[in-house]
Amino acid sequence: MTLRLYVSLLLFFACSLSYTPLRAQISPTTSTAEANPFAQAAKDTALQKKKNTDWDEAPARIQYTYYNSEVPHYFDSSLLFFHRNQYTQPVWYKDLGNWGTTARNLMFTTNTRPGMYLGYNGWDVYKYTIDSLPFIHTTRPYTSFSFMLGSKQLQWVELMHTQNINPRWNFTFKLANNVSDGFFNLQRTSGFNGFFSTNYKSQNERLRTKFGIIFNNFKQDENGGIRNDSFLTEPLYKNRISIPVRFDNQGIAATRSDVYNRQRNNLFFLENSYAWGKKDSIYNNDSTKVTYSFTPRFSIKHVISLEHTRHQFTDGSPDSVNYLYAGNFSFKVSDTLKSVQNWTSLDNKFSLNTFLGKDSQQVKIEAGIGYRKDFFRTIAYIPNIKDSLFNFDNVYLFGQIGKEALKPQQWTYLANASFFFLGQSAGNLNVSGTLSKRFLNLGQITLGAMQSINDPAYYTQKFRTNFFELNNSFAKQTTTKVYGRLLIDRWKLDVSLSNQLISNYIFLNSDQHFEQYSPAFSILQLAARKRFTFGAFDLDNEAVWQQATNNAPVHVPVLMLRHQLAYKLPIFKGRLDAYLGLEGRYHTAYYADGYSPFYNQFYYQDNILINNRPELSAFFNFKVKRLRAFVTGDQLQQLFWTKNVMQAPGYPAPNVYLRLGFNWIMMN
């Protein structure tokens, strides 16, 4: 185990010393959208305002909200899809054939965030972000510990702890660590992520504070992919680590590659708001208890955030053939090629807010101004050559009008806008709106639209190593999206339709150069999910159809399918919850994007067609009180077909392998 894994385990046992496991019951929960999109939100009555003594005696209840939202969420304790929830990418993501490697979404997406940014989005799916931070309220200390082991030294551990210091102040932290050697030579990965969040509300409910610290750290050894996928069917290479790879300068005896990518990302933010409004005292039926009520009418809010990202590419034994796209170089044996880019962004914004309507149906109107300063630094690593330093100042306006459905059958509507009017990013904007409502005995309907104009990623315009420098000048990219979703509870049917219109699209071509495709093109996507339940059997089906137009430099599989059949086992007369099941995934043949280690980026190619067999897995999930566990066999189709599924040209999926893990919830 790594040192970080030991540290995480020690923290876990330190937190658990004061606990008596399995004493209190968790409040009703809803499953995640991945687990069950048809579940109704549970109502938690323990969060009504009480005196401190009453709060201390309340039964265990826990709920959380996300940043910029007051809609309550509840932790998922379901079992049917538990084997999917252990540090995996969303269902349609594809990595490079090893746990924690750079990944891309087979459902086409593009960046729509206004303002400048560094780029390097290959690890975004694993990151903690400000929008994913939970701000929790719990009446008991709550700890969640997850652990997983798998083939080829796969290890993953996650620890989350949260507790309320008092009824108005909570803190939460989470740590996650993963390592995996992989089935193929020189493809080891590691990641260490975590966050700390706290939220505070004053006794009179006027002052509110949210604070968070996030860190993400990823590293992957680069082997350049296998030299030929025909090796996958040759008996000589039954042991996959012996298959020749592109970056094998050290031979198959090496355990670490001379070529690697590494990224560190840190974020700090602090939000303070102070409100004025109507205060009231509410008595119970016999007038023995009184609760304080406050309805905000006007508030001021200030948010400051500081984000730093560092990306490093290192080639310890560069080969001139690999860098012909940049020029003709003659490397010495002692040479090391490096590219290190840093981005620091300081964002400071102030807003005025007003609230209209009753407490549970309040409409929030926000308007504000923000100032952002972005620093970009590329380290030269060349004697007598200065680092590349650039800094940019930007000023922007932002606003929001919205009402959330805090009670059943209420309308939810939200409109957001941000516009940069001064600085390098002048002209950038993002405008979006959604409208949603859940209808009794029917389901939920959601409609939305979005328009964005955003700067190109910095590294697509300026890329520098200690041997060469590449510069480009690109126009801003524009994206227009309209979408709708229909959720019918009675039929257990979830259908969504979206269309994206994109122009000035920036991509990496097969010659390892960035290009901009100016004509507008659209991506139409239709997704559907249907569940059938008959007796002890559960059949879950998903399908996605998507199509790009106008000869755009985008390749996506036209059709993607996922099916899961599970059987609820009657173990110990129902005293033990358990599911046994099979899952299959398939997508139609297409020219999958290749992967460039030099940019840590996928690139467009139309020479290699990826035509895979369906992927199969089997699982056994079981639950004893608040302990959930799973055993999963992945890539089982290789029991029938020898060749590995190809994730990208040169990057096969693993062999048949086993994963087992558990999640243990403790509450005092």
Side-chain angles (χ1 to χ4, degrees):
M1 294 185 186
T2 65
L3 176 61
R4 290 171 180 161
L5 184 57
Y6 280 119
V7 171
S8 300
L9 287 170
L10 287 174
L11 285 171
F12 160 68
F13 287 115
C15 291
S16 63
L17 286 176
S18 62
Y19 289 162
T20 303
L22 309 179
R23 178 184 298 174
Q25 295 299 315
I26 302 176
S27 63
T29 61
T30 60
S31 301
T32 61
E34 169 76 4
N36 183 5
F38 313 106
Q40 299 290 332
K43 183 180 180 181
D44 194 334
T45 59
L47 299 178
Q48 298 173 355
K49 181 62 65 177
K50 297 180 176 69
K51 296 179 182 178
N52 286 357
T53 55
D54 295 332
W55 183 80
D56 290 339
E57 296 298 324
R61 294 288 190 269
I62 180 169
Q63 71 177 34
Y64 63 94
T65 59
Y66 288 116
Y67 191 64
N68 282 332
S69 175
E70 296 299 325
V71 176
H73 298 268
Y74 306 91
F75 286 107
D76 181 21
S77 62
S78 63
L79 186 62
L80 181 58
F81 303 98
F82 176 61
H83 61 286
R84 298 180 185 172
N85 297 338
Q86 309 304 307
Y87 198 66
T88 56
Q89 308 95 25
V91 61
W92 304 124
Y93 269 76
K94 284 284 188 181
D95 57 27
L96 296 176
N98 190 24
W99 205 265
T101 52
T102 304
R104 62 192 172 90
N105 195 348
L106 298 189
M107 285 192 69
F108 178 83
T109 57
T110 186
N111 174 62
T112 59
R113 183 175 69 172
M116 308 188 74
Y117 73 110
L118 182 60
Y120 299 108
N121 300 320
W123 281 301
D124 283 1
V125 67
Y126 309 116
K127 289 181 180 178
Y128 296 127
T129 65
I130 188 172
D131 292 327
S132 67
L133 283 191
F135 294 94
I136 301 175
H137 182 105
T138 177
T139 59
R140 291 290 183 268
Y142 175 99
T143 297
S144 171
F145 178 69
S146 298
F147 185 73
M148 181 177 66
L149 289 174
S151 304
K152 301 301 178 180
Q153 303 298 317
L154 169 62
Q155 300 175 25
W156 174 78
V157 61
E158 181 185 81
L159 167 69
M160 189 197 79
H161 175 75
T162 182
Q163 68 181 72
N164 270 55
I165 300 171
N166 60 47
R168 302 175 304 279
W169 187 9
N170 173 274
F171 76 88
T172 303
F173 72 83
K174 179 183 281 190
L175 298 172
N177 182 72
N178 76 284
V179 293
S180 179
D181 287 346
F183 279 79
F184 296 84
N185 195 28
L186 305 178
Q187 63 169 185
R188 189 176 190 270
T189 62
S190 63
F192 187 55
N193 311 53
F195 68 78
F196 173 84
S197 69
T198 184
N199 61 98
Y200 170 78
K201 181 168 59 176
S202 64
Q203 189 167 3
N204 62 11
E205 300 188 17
R206 294 181 182 272
L207 174 65
R208 296 193 176 195
T209 297
K210 291 181 179 180
F211 172 78
I213 298 175
I214 299 171
F215 61 90
N216 301 288
N217 191 353
F218 308 98
K219 183 178 180 180
Q220 74 180 33
D221 287 359
E222 302 287 0
N223 62 14
I226 63 175
R227 292 186 177 273
N228 197 312
D229 60 4
S230 65
F231 294 147
L232 297 170
T233 57
E234 295 186 14
L236 178 64
Y237 299 112
K238 187 175 182 180
N239 182 2
R240 298 309 196 199
I241 202 170
S242 64
I243 292 180
V245 294
R246 286 179 60 196
F247 302 155
D248 57 355
N249 297 338
Q250 297 172 312
I252 63 173
T255 58
R256 300 304 302 269
S257 176
D258 274 350
V259 187
Y260 64 86
N261 276 287
R262 184 171 187 175
Q263 186 178 119
R264 297 174 182 174
N265 171 256
N266 303 293
L267 172 68
F268 155 90
F269 80 93
L270 174 65
E271 174 186 300
N272 284 295
S273 65
Y274 190 85
W276 291 264
K278 179 182 179 182
K279 56 184 180 180
D280 199 359
S281 297
I282 302 174
Y283 292 87
N284 63 351
N285 292 334
D286 57 5
S287 300
T288 58
K289 293 183 179 180
V290 61
T291 58
Y292 176 79
S293 174
F294 176 74
T295 302
R297 292 303 180 192
F298 177 78
S299 74
I300 57 175
K301 183 168 70 174
H302 175 255
V303 182
I304 185 170
S305 64
L306 178 66
E307 183 174 5
H308 176 75
T309 300
R310 174 186 172 92
H311 187 277
Q312 177 181 348
F313 169 72
T314 300
D315 187 344
S317 50
D319 186 337
S320 59
V321 175
N322 294 331
Y323 298 95
L324 289 177
Y325 68 91
N328 293 316
F329 303 98
S330 179
F331 295 109
K332 300 176 182 178
V333 175
S334 59
D335 284 341
T336 295
L337 185 144
K338 289 185 178 181
S339 173
V340 178
Q341 292 179 295
N342 294 273
W343 169 49
T344 302
S345 179
L346 176 63
D347 197 349
N348 198 19
K349 57 185 180 182
F350 174 83
S351 65
L352 303 177
N353 302 264
T354 187
F355 305 85
L356 307 176
K358 298 181 179 180
D359 189 33
S360 63
Q361 300 183 20
Q362 279 199 329
V363 177
K364 176 185 176 182
I365 303 175
E366 179 180 19
I369 188 169
Y371 165 74
R372 244 181 77 172
K373 192 171 187 66
D374 294 282
F375 302 86
F376 293 93
R377 179 189 179 195
T378 302
I379 301 177
Y381 287 112
I382 303 175
N384 302 320
I385 300 296
K386 294 182 179 180
D387 296 347
S388 297
L389 296 172
F390 298 92
N391 64 85
F392 305 96
D393 299 275
N394 290 285
V395 183
Y396 62 95
L397 300 173
F398 65 95
Q400 180 185 97
I401 300 176
K403 184 185 78 69
E404 296 182 307
L406 301 179
K407 291 185 177 181
Q409 301 183 60
Q410 288 184 341
W411 282 99
T412 293
Y413 53 85
L414 181 65
N416 285 287
S418 57
F419 174 68
F420 285 73
F421 65 94
L422 287 177
Q424 180 72 17
S425 298
N428 281 17
L429 65 84
N430 185 286
V431 180
S432 63
T434 59
L435 179 66
S436 178
K437 184 175 182 178
R438 176 171 286 278
F439 295 91
L440 184 65
N441 299 324
L442 177 59
Q444 181 173 322
I445 186 171
T446 301
L447 300 173
M450 182 274 299
Q451 171 71 59
S452 76
I453 302 174
N454 57 284
D455 286 323
Y458 180 81
Y459 85 114
T460 66
Q461 301 189 90
K462 296 183 182 297
F463 182 82
R464 180 179 180 180
T465 73
N466 54 334
F467 284 91
F468 62 86
E469 182 175 354
L470 302 176
N471 294 286
N472 298 297
S473 179
F474 295 129
K476 300 179 187 294
Q477 179 177 299
T478 64
T479 305
T480 304
K481 182 178 180 180
V482 293
Y483 59 92
R485 181 184 180 189
L486 177 63
L487 182 65
I488 303 177
D489 299 324
R490 181 180 300 177
W491 296 348
K492 295 184 178 180
L493 177 65
D494 186 4
V495 181
S496 61
L497 177 66
S498 72
N499 188 62
Q500 300 175 67
L501 183 65
I502 302 160
S503 61
N504 292 331
Y505 176 64
I506 299 170
F507 65 99
L508 183 65
N509 65 24
S510 58
D511 295 326
Q512 307 299 289
H513 292 114
F514 286 100
E515 284 189 39
Q516 185 160 54
Y517 183 75
S518 298
F521 67 93
S522 67
I523 301 285
L524 182 63
Q525 296 169 322
L526 173 64
R529 182 174 183 180
K530 178 74 172 76
R531 287 183 60 190
F532 299 92
T533 302
F534 38 96
F537 289 91
D538 188 285
L539 179 61
D540 186 56
N541 306 275
E542 289 187 65
V544 173
W545 177 87
Q546 55 186 347
Q547 185 68 56
T549 64
N550 200 24
N551 298 318
V554 172
H555 287 313
V556 290
V558 174
L559 181 65
M560 298 185 292
L561 303 171
R562 178 176 70 170
H563 304 280
Q564 176 180 299
L565 177 64
Y567 176 69
K568 188 171 184 180
L569 297 170
I571 300 179
F572 301 126
K573 298 182 179 180
R575 291 183 175 87
L576 175 67
D577 290 335
Y579 282 97
L580 181 66
L582 296 171
E583 182 171 330
R585 304 183 187 189
Y586 172 76
H587 62 74
T588 53
Y590 77 113
Y591 291 96
D593 287 350
Y595 172 70
S596 171
F598 316 113
Y599 294 107
N600 194 202
Q601 165 79 31
F602 289 93
Y603 63 86
Y604 174 80
Q605 64 88 27
D606 52 10
N607 293 317
I608 301 175
L609 183 71
I610 298 295
N611 190 6
N612 289 324
R613 304 279 188 176
E615 298 178 69
L616 302 176
S617 61
F619 62 90
F620 174 63
N621 301 340
F622 65 92
K623 179 179 180 181
V624 181
K625 294 187 177 179
R626 292 207 298 270
L627 174 68
R628 293 181 294 169
F630 71 91
V631 179
T632 300
D634 290 310
Q635 299 296 321
L636 298 183
Q637 75 281 352
Q638 289 185 52
L639 298 176
F640 311 100
W641 301 292
T642 304
K643 186 177 179 180
N644 303 57
V645 164
M646 299 301 295
Q647 305 285 78
Y651 290 91
N655 284 7
V656 177
Y657 69 102
L658 188 70
R659 290 185 293 122
L660 54 95
F662 67 86
N663 170 252
W664 186 18
I665 302 298
M666 292 166 291
M667 300 180 70
N668 188 20

